[in-house]
Amino acid sequence: MDLGKKLEILADAAKYDASCASSGGQKRSSRGKGSGVGSTTGSGICHSYAPDGRCISLLKILFTNACIFDCSYCVNRRSSDTPRASFTVEEVVSLTLDFYKRNYIEGLFLSSGIIRDADFTMERLVRVARTLRQAHGFRGYIHLKTIPEASPGLIEEAGLWADRLSVNVELPTQQGLEKLAPEKNLRRIQGSMANIRGKREESVDRRRSANTERQRNAVAKERSFAPAGQSTQMIVGADGANDRAILARADLLYSSYKLRRVYYSAYSPIPHASVFLPAKQPPLVRENRLYQADWLLRFYGFELDEIVPTSLADLDLQIDPKAAWALRNPEFFPLDVNAASREALLRVPGFGVRTVDRILEARRFGKLSVLDLRRMRAPVGRALDFVMTVDHHPSMKALDPSRLRSKLTGPAEQMELDLLRG
Amino acid sequence: MLREVSVSCFEEWRPIARGLIQEGIDPASVIWNGENAGSLELGLVVERRAVSLSTVSVPKAFLLRAEWVACHAAADTWSLLYRLLWRLAVGKEAGLLSRANDVDVSEFLLREKAVRRERHKMTAFVRFRKVGNPETEDTDKEEGSVARESYVAWYEPVHDVVRLAAGFFRDRFATMNWSILTPRTCVHWDGRSLRFTEGVSREAFPGEDELEVYWKKYYASTFNPARLNMAMMEREMPRRYWKNLPEAELISELANGSYGRSKGMVEHTEDSPSRRLRKPKGAPDGAERATCRSPEEVRMRADGLQIDALRSLAERCQACHLCERATQTVFGEGPSGARVVFVGEQPGDREDLEGRPFVGPAGQLLDSVFSEVGLQRSRVYLTNAVKHFKWIGAKQRRLHQNPSAGEIEACRPWLLAELDRISPALVVCLGATAGRAVLGRPVSVMSDRGLIDDPGRPFQIVLTYHPSYLLRLGTRAEREAAEANFVEDLALVRQIESHG
């Protein structure tokens, strides 16, 4: 099979993984280096966008789409009739370098179907990364998918060559996995994440505890373990798990394994789809709501129970989760933008981190009016029902939940999600 | 009297602006490249006076940021910058740039953001084409030297960000020769220095690169037709960039064909049951076969098992709900013939990750007291009353929580089985939870510390602090006193261990 055909099959097979980030971790440069190529700046770059609106940052491909697993939601499961292909190590290496030198990509995101067994497969992924780093001096970004059942030695080596490692949990519960992914096991997956967190912290500790010049020189030569951390993905809408189950799992994974990101991927119909799965358009709004909720958990100081109270199983699809919280807690408002704390202002529907920080800076120089907010480009239309300024006091009627709900369900602006972050 | 000035770049603007300030020429009196700076919105009245050179001082942050804003294509950018400079240098408006609600600052921030975005997009959307390099191909190469590859790109930024982005390309592609051609400024890198030249027209750009075929195949294949979202795509990759992106010529074709493709996928499902049934040899089993769902089941199934079999049986214990949020069971560890067993409370964050008891901060303290009193970790058996980590999340961290009486009770069959199989001479209870689990009744470390008088047991019992209690003590005096007691208790343990 020619290289172009392989690329088509193995890129197509890899596209259901939502991870795209090329950010985080260390900064590297090729300046002053005699050979090799590449750099990482710490913040990622999206080199293109596909008509599905998703960014193209890395060459995202599978090493092979042959697989001994049989996960119903996956186009590559062994019972699917999809055409199969495999790269060689050299082919992946030269495609990565050729694309990189033309500034098409930030680096490589390599995953694979499981062939023969976990170690056999993992060893091939590691070999690609090792060849890029050692034989070609590649300093761009590498993200390797790791297989929970692979031996710890291979994971350790993977972490030395890769910027980021990821293990996909895919579904939030063991019951879900048993139904749809009979070879996967939640305890093993989390054990693998624990192992990666442990290795990464050891590597960071060695750097921190280097006190003498000699120790510092020694650790500077060492490669740090997965400097951009680890991430995972959960598929939304393939099994019956509700949003609370999904977010509870995400919250647990963030706390327990220090994940940089949890990606939510709406189950999307695939060619050769399994009869066990919903044949319908992907739940994209739900996916977006989950990302918004995830952001609230991580950057806005919300607790899981505030976002999805135990009485609710799912997020509101009509309004974003922050607005939904505000409607459930009208007594929290209105807030005085000239006095309220950062934590409180972050809870105002429409206010993002940047707006709140601008308010805090500017109000040191004088009381703020609605015009001031507008000049700061705060999304005033949405926020005014919830805040007071020197010249604006919303009436109690303004905070009536049913009135607000109908107002907020109008054409909503998308919450700003910096998908590069983390 | 109006002053007319013409500038083309920030390096030119800076000395001119400084000179104007020194002469006391207010913003309303300057016309930059034919644009009037306009009057100050706040109606700031400043006397026209000459100020000495040394007083033209503005925050360095302003100049650094102004250099970016100066790349903005809008014609009135120079006058905006001069107005702000005036307000900072002459008006002495402290903290001006922190006031995003100010008209000028608001505009400054907007343009700064636009330039930053344009610079970022340039690092993203420049596409190099590989070209032959006569310099290295035609001449004899030195022994061992590697031919430098050469690349050229054509790019059309809205704001002239070539200088701002040049360093990025130098750092990334330092070992290649490359040029980026644009209508206003071109930049070239030869491995030694960046060189900037006048803008050129598109004709200077080479026609093709065979790799673009592969790039387009990749672009088409990575697109998911079931998720068509052109609006999102255009927000991040506006149409004005498309003409210089080789992949963009596929966009309309991909978008138009997507409906048929995703409809076909929804309608066509398949499964070949024969292939589902055969599980290949290397495929792992994912099913979670819970071993014990209740303390009674633990008691029943643990009966007659040796310590290693107990350990593997405990791996998938679900006798209480703590297994749901923990990574793994942390079973005891140490020689099966140990004379002393140490019982702690429960694993912590580190223990949960590693699957071994006493490897976190409390374990380190225990290790240091061990060596102080002459105990060897390798000769004792270490375990916990509760084998799963109990925690609550707070700001993305896991905070330890005390196990409840019910949880201690649920885990107790494991502990009793361990004590039975190891059959030690002495059991050291670290903390009240361990004491309760071993003795089967509530105890207080404060009042019952030391050797416990509890006849009828096959082993002696020492009750002492849990090392993490010592780590939590607030004052140094408290900690030193408690540590002395702890050392004293472990010295007693050491004595019993060696003499029996």
Side-chain angles (χ1 to χ4, degrees), chain A residues 36 47 49 106 178 197 257, chain B residues 127 172 175 219 288 327 349:
Chain A
H47 284 270
Y49 288 82
E106 283 296 286
E178 288 189 8
R197 181 189 150 194
Y257 312 116
Chain B
R127 297 281 182 266
R172 176 159 293 191
T175 55
Y219 182 79
E288 185 72 28
T327 305
D349 183 62

Side-chain angles (χ1 to χ4, degrees), chain A residues 3-4 7-8 11-12 15-16 29-31 33-39 41 44-54 56 58-60 68-70 72 77-81 98-106 116 149 174 178 182-185 187-188 190-191 194 197-198 201 252 254-258 266 268-276 279 281-282 284 287 297-298 354 358 361-362 364-365 368 372 375-377 414, chain B residues 41 94-95 97-103 106-107 109-110 113 120-128 130 149 151 168-176 209 211-212 214-215 217-219 221-230 232-233 235-237 245-247 251 254-255 261-262 265-266 268-272 275-280 282-288 315-316 324-327 349-350 352-353 391 393 396-398:
Chain A
L3 186 62
L7 179 60
E8 284 175 338
D12 185 84
K15 72 186 171 198
Y16 301 99
S29 162
S30 288
R31 197 181 182 187
K33 303 285 197 315
S35 61
V37 66
S39 63
T41 58
I45 297 174
C46 296
H47 284 270
S48 194
Y49 288 82
D52 51 23
R54 298 210 280 191
I56 300 174
L58 303 169
L59 172 60
K60 188 193 295 182
I68 57 176
F69 281 31
D70 203 35
S72 307
R77 69 189 183 286
R78 66 172 186 264
S79 58
S80 147
D81 291 339
D98 282 339
F99 278 16
Y100 193 85
K101 288 176 180 175
R102 285 158 180 80
N103 204 40
Y104 300 162
I105 52 169
E106 283 296 286
R116 204 169 313 170
E149 288 78 19
Q174 174 64 22
E178 288 189 8
E183 286 82 15
K184 288 183 186 277
N185 176 281
R187 203 164 40 81
R188 285 202 297 262
Q190 293 191 164
R197 181 189 150 194
E201 288 179 355
L252 181 145
Y254 280 125
S255 311
S256 299
Y257 312 116
K258 308 284 174 236
S268 130
I270 46 175
H272 319 281
S274 161
V275 288
F276 297 113
Q281 286 302 307
L284 297 178
E287 180 192 280
L297 282 175
R298 289 192 295 148
R354 184 193 303 241
R358 281 185 175 174
E361 273 206 51
R364 294 189 291 138
F365 299 92
L368 303 179
D372 287 316
R375 284 194 189 132
M376 285 180 207
R377 300 188 168 77
Q414 264 213 318
Chain B
E41 205 220 25
L97 293 185
S98 299
R99 288 155 49 195
N101 53 330
D102 178 272
V103 176
S106 172
E107 191 57 37
L109 293 176
L110 191 67
K113 190 174 164 195
H120 181 80
K121 292 297 180 195
M122 181 170 174
T123 64
F125 296 152
V126 158
R127 297 281 182 266
F128 283 118
K130 194 173 181 186
E149 296 175 342
Y151 293 82
F168 165 84
F169 292 100
R170 174 199 58 210
D171 291 352
R172 176 159 293 191
F173 303 114
T175 55
M176 313 173 348
D209 184 325
L211 249 295
E212 282 174 13
Y214 290 96
W215 172 238
K217 279 182 197 291
Y218 175 68
Y219 182 79
S221 309
T222 202
F223 160 57
N224 182 351
R227 300 178 57 112
L228 184 70
N229 188 346
M230 292 285 283
M232 176 80 106
M233 165 180 153
R235 214 179 63 184
E236 298 297 337
M237 194 167 82
L245 294 168
E247 68 271 26
I251 292 172
L254 290 173
R261 279 173 73 191
S262 62
M265 285 187 264
V266 169
H268 175 81
T269 59
E270 64 181 46
D271 245 317
S272 37
R275 289 170 78 176
R276 274 187 73 83
L277 289 173
R278 275 201 318 272
K279 194 178 192 97
D285 181 8
E288 185 72 28
E315 270 174 26
R316 279 162 295 165
E324 288 162 21
R325 281 162 61 79
T327 305
D349 183 62
R350 280 250 68 88
D352 174 76
L353 296 178
W391 57 277
Q396 315 274 317
R397 291 182 54 200
R398 298 195 290 183

Side-chain angles (χ1 to χ4, degrees), chain A residues 325-396:
Chain A
W325 178 84
L327 294 193
R328 286 195 299 271
N329 298 276
E331 70 289 348
F332 190 78
F333 302 101
L335 288 174
D336 183 351
V337 296
N338 288 303
S341 68
R342 184 172 194 276
E343 291 67 33
L345 287 172
L346 283 173
R347 295 191 168 228
V348 174
F351 279 5
V353 172
R354 184 193 303 241
T355 299
V356 170
D357 287 341
R358 281 185 175 174
I359 288 172
L360 293 181
E361 273 206 51
R363 78 184 187 189
R364 294 189 291 138
F365 299 92
K367 296 270 182 204
L368 303 179
S369 66
V370 173
L371 181 62
D372 287 316
L373 292 180
R374 283 190 210 282
R375 284 194 189 132
M376 285 180 207
R377 300 188 168 77
V380 170
R382 230 165 133 65
L384 276 190
D385 288 324
F386 301 94
V387 296
M388 296 185 287
T389 64
V390 281
D391 58 347
H392 169 77
H393 297 268
S395 63
M396 287 320 285

Side-chain angles (χ1 to χ4, degrees), chain B residues 320-385:
Chain B
C320 75
H321 65 101
L322 289 185
C323 60
E324 288 162 21
R325 281 162 61 79
T327 305
Q328 55 196 323
T329 305
V330 180
F331 208 71
E333 108 184 344
S336 55
R339 285 180 53 77
V340 183
V341 171
F342 281 82
V343 183
E345 186 199 53
Q346 62 159 346
D349 183 62
R350 280 250 68 88
E351 287 81 8
D352 174 76
L353 296 178
E354 290 190 33
R356 298 180 51 210
F358 290 102
V359 290
Q364 284 163 14
L365 176 60
L366 192 64
D367 283 342
S368 79
V369 178
F370 272 13
S371 62
E372 192 176 335
V373 301
L375 281 164
Q376 281 176 22
R377 184 169 172 142
S378 60
R379 289 168 53 105
V380 302
Y381 186 90
L382 296 162
T383 191
N384 281 301

Side-chain angles (χ1 to χ4, degrees), chain B residues 408-449:
Chain B
I408 298 171
E409 206 45 48
C411 220
R412 199 156 171 249
W414 291 116
L415 179 66
L416 296 182
E418 281 175 296
L419 294 178
D420 177 68
R421 307 305 187 274
I422 306 286
S423 157
L426 173 66
V427 174
V428 185
C429 303
L430 301 169
T433 299
R436 183 192 183 115
V438 172
L439 288 157
R441 59 178 164 84
V443 292
S444 155
V445 181
M446 289 308 151
S447 49
D448 306 331
R449 233 191 77 236

Side-chain angles (χ1 to χ4, degrees), chain B residues 144-287:
Chain B
S145 79
V146 184
R148 292 176 68 85
E149 296 175 342
S150 294
Y151 293 82
V152 178
W154 168 255
Y155 194 68
E156 294 169 75
V158 171
H159 309 296
D160 190 9
V161 291
V162 173
R163 282 165 200 275
L164 297 177
F168 165 84
F169 292 100
R170 174 199 58 210
D171 291 352
R172 176 159 293 191
F173 303 114
T175 55
M176 313 173 348
N177 289 345
W178 51 262
S179 295
I180 301 171
L181 313 176
T182 87
R184 260 177 301 191
T185 310
C186 301
V187 56
H188 316 269
W189 170 255
D190 58 3
R192 287 176 289 274
S193 58
L194 286 171
R195 195 161 50 86
F196 296 92
T197 57
E198 292 281 296
V200 294
S201 69
R202 208 199 147 119
E203 283 81 70
F205 182 51
E208 55 187 25
D209 184 325
E210 58 173 12
L211 249 295
E212 282 174 13
V213 175
Y214 290 96
W215 172 238
K216 283 191 262 187
K217 279 182 197 291
Y218 175 68
Y219 182 79
S221 309
T222 202
F223 160 57
N224 182 351
R227 300 178 57 112
L228 184 70
N229 188 346
M230 292 285 283
M232 176 80 106
M233 165 180 153
E234 288 191 39
R235 214 179 63 184
E236 298 297 337
M237 194 167 82
R239 281 174 187 267
R240 64 185 170 86
Y241 294 108
W242 293 8
K243 60 176 185 256
N244 293 317
L245 294 168
E247 68 271 26
E249 65 184 52
L250 301 177
I251 292 172
S252 67
E253 191 191 324
L254 290 173
N256 292 337
S258 73
Y259 176 71
R261 279 173 73 191
S262 62
K263 194 159 170 280
M265 285 187 264
V266 169
E267 284 162 3
H268 175 81
T269 59
E270 64 181 46
D271 245 317
S272 37
S274 57
R275 289 170 78 176
R276 274 187 73 83
L277 289 173
R278 275 201 318 272
K279 194 178 192 97
K281 224 171 65 194
D285 181 8

